[in-house]
Amino acid sequence: MTSTTPDILVVGAGIAGLTTALALRRRGASVTVIDQSRPGTEASWAGGGILCPLYAWRYPDAVLALAARGMRDYPALIASLTGDIDPEHHVTGMRILDPVGPGESAALIGERLERFGIRHRWQEPRDGDQAPLCLPEVANIRNPRLLQALRQTAEANGIEIRANRRCERVAVQAGRFAGIDTSSGRMHAGQLVVAAGAWSEPLIPQARHESIFPVRGQMLRLVPRGERHLSTILMDDGVYLIPRVDGSVVVGSTVERAGFDKTVDMAAQDALQRKAVERCPELAGAVVTHRWAGLRPGSSDELPLLGEHPTVEGLWVNTGGYRNGLAMAPATAGLLTDLMTGRRPELDPAPYRVARMLSA
Ligand SMILES: Cc1cc2nc3c(=O)[nH]c(=O)nc-3n(C[C@H](O)[C@H](O)[C@H](O)COP(=O)(O)OP(=O)(O)OC[C@H]3O[C@@H](n4cnc5c(N)ncnc54)[C@H](O)[C@@H]3O)c2cc1C
């Protein structure tokens, strides 16, 4: 099912755009998605795929509410995928070796996790170290595969996806969305969803400079020699180790403001690898098979932007996932789709409103 003028156009075929397109399609809308490059090859490809915020209790309620909801909704998202790609949703749990930061206590951490339904248990400390914290229900996902599976599912459900088509400008007439100018001409639709990740800001009329910006994260993938040892996600001193189903280990990540530059630098890479080996000595001698960087969509208050543009009817936004865009995706797509289809969302949309990022 394709039409030249779909009900809804989505700009950006990352996790935000594809999950939103699918949720809207399931409510009966015709949807076309465009992407300036190959779908699912930017931040959503680069991410670690941990389906829970790191040191979750340090995030504001508005992020935790979406992330906790996303964690619960992932099995249903996975079950809804069609096609032959297994995204390897892998419940490994997460073990955090340095949970209690300055001004924090085990009681405070436990209270916040419980409030959002994130199960936890404390483990015995060793040699004067902090007691590690275990979150047994945390999963990780092979996100590049998830994105391929989402694309297949979207197309099987009649969503048209056009790669290598860049949205240059959003046209507005009399306070209403009136189409987009793309690298291949004008496109029309009833409504628009801007889900262009770190590149979203110029597509949101009146967006303040630096309201949405890229935050580079560098990663590497190690293949251990010999037996597999790591069975759970390990987190310490800001560095995480993620065991994949095939026994490889993904290590991340830096948090850098470097514009739209996706190069990796060896000093940062070596530091990540060194920390990984310190935490997991079995990784000494592991082979580095990949090094990469991606651009997280950061927002100036570190909350996502979800909702309709306050002065442009028919223009909607789903971006600003920052470090948790994969974990939150089913919830952000669900919330935006509820708003677009006139259903009352379960979560309060107020903290995510677009107006807060616009110039007066
Ligand atoms: C190193 C790293 C580690 C991470 N780890 C995790 C993690 O473990 N767990 C987690 O939950 N999150 C993680 N994240 C964050 C997560 O990956 C992002 O928040 C999420 O992928 C953002 O998805 P998105 O769809 O908004 O953006 P993207 O995936 O970047 O997609 C945006 C898309 O829009 C397209 N686009 C942009 N501009 C235009 C235009 N003008 N016209 C047409 N198309 C356009 C782009 O080509 C791109 O495909 C990590 C991110 C990084 C970089």
Side-chain angles (χ1 to χ4, degrees):
M1 196 254 18
T2 58
S3 63
T4 45
T5 305
D7 297 329
I8 297 162
L9 249 176
V10 177
V11 176
I15 189 84
L18 288 179
T19 51
T20 303
L22 265 168
L24 288 164
R25 181 74 196 106
R26 289 186 176 128
R27 299 262 172 99
S30 59
V31 185
T32 296
V33 183
I34 67 163
D35 199 288
Q36 66 184 1
S37 64
R38 271 196 306 131
T41 56
E42 290 291 351
S44 304
W45 172 89
I50 302 175
L51 300 183
C52 180
L54 308 171
Y55 305 100
W57 54 93
R58 292 181 191 159
Y59 282 89
D61 287 4
V63 170
L64 274 186
L66 286 169
R69 179 62 199 253
M71 284 167 78
R72 284 196 291 281
D73 287 352
Y74 251 94
L77 176 68
I78 304 294
S80 74
L81 298 173
T82 54
D84 54 359
I85 298 169
D86 176 5
E88 296 182 3
H89 183 253
H90 190 198
V91 182
T92 54
M94 175 155 60
R95 189 161 179 259
I96 304 154
L97 302 185
D98 61 341
V100 185
E104 292 178 341
S105 66
L108 173 135
I109 291 169
E111 183 272 317
R112 277 191 60 67
L113 292 174
E114 265 162 38
R115 185 138 68 87
F116 290 94
I118 302 173
R119 270 189 53 213
H120 72 284
R121 59 172 181 263
W122 295 93
Q123 297 180 326
E124 282 300 311
R126 270 198 324 197
D127 305 334
D129 286 344
Q130 282 195 27
L133 177 66
C134 180
L135 310 181
E137 291 172 349
V138 171
N140 76 79
I141 196 150
R142 193 92 170 245
N143 36 300
R145 292 190 184 193
L146 172 65
L147 269 290
Q148 286 174 24
L150 281 169
R151 182 184 182 170
Q152 274 192 356
T153 305
E155 287 177 332
N157 280 275
I159 294 170
E160 187 178 353
I161 299 181
R162 299 196 195 168
N164 304 315
R165 184 175 280 226
R166 178 179 154 78
C167 174
E168 314 274 7
R169 195 180 74 89
V170 174
V172 178
Q173 259 172 17
R176 215 191 173 292
F177 163 65
I180 58 174
D181 292 325
T182 79
S183 42
S184 319
R186 172 68 64 116
M187 292 177 81
H188 295 279
Q191 305 190 73
L192 177 73
V193 178
V194 174
W199 298 264
S200 296
E201 188 184 282
L203 305 181
I204 303 172
Q206 302 142 36
R208 271 200 315 272
H209 179 54
E210 296 268 287
S211 49
I212 307 286
F213 46 82
V215 183
R216 182 168 69 189
Q218 298 191 41
M219 308 275 283
L220 62 142
R221 176 176 178 266
L222 297 169
V223 174
R225 293 184 195 278
E227 298 266 306
R228 93 173 40 200
H229 293 280
L230 193 66
S231 58
T232 186
I233 300 165
L234 201 59
M235 175 88 223
D236 188 31
D237 195 20
V239 173
Y240 50 80
L241 283 69
I242 310 169
R244 295 294 199 215
V245 172
D246 64 5
S248 64
V249 175
V250 172
V251 181
S253 176
T254 61
V255 179
E256 305 163 81
R257 290 291 296 270
F260 288 92
D261 178 359
K262 286 191 287 184
T263 50
V264 295
D265 78 80
M266 281 316 293
Q269 289 278 317
D270 288 345
L272 287 171
Q273 189 172 357
R274 210 168 35 246
K275 280 193 184 176
V277 175
E278 273 168 30
R279 300 306 172 270
C280 186
E282 297 84 8
L283 290 175
V287 178
V288 181
T289 61
H290 296 85
R291 303 179 189 277
W292 68 94
L295 302 175
R296 309 172 180 98
S299 74
S300 51
D301 59 6
E302 298 193 5
L303 299 184
L305 270 81
L306 296 168
E308 191 169 21
H309 193 288
T311 61
V312 183
E313 197 188 335
L315 195 163
W316 301 80
V317 179
N318 179 357
T319 191
Y322 188 40
R323 300 198 78 176
N324 302 302
L326 292 159
M328 297 188 300
T332 52
L335 191 149
L336 190 73
T337 300
D338 281 345
L339 294 173
M340 291 181 73
T341 56
R343 285 199 198 170
R344 198 186 147 93
E346 278 174 33
L347 295 177
D348 175 10
Y352 319 111
R353 68 196 184 288
V354 177
R356 73 190 203 279
M357 294 294 172
L358 307 185
S359 46

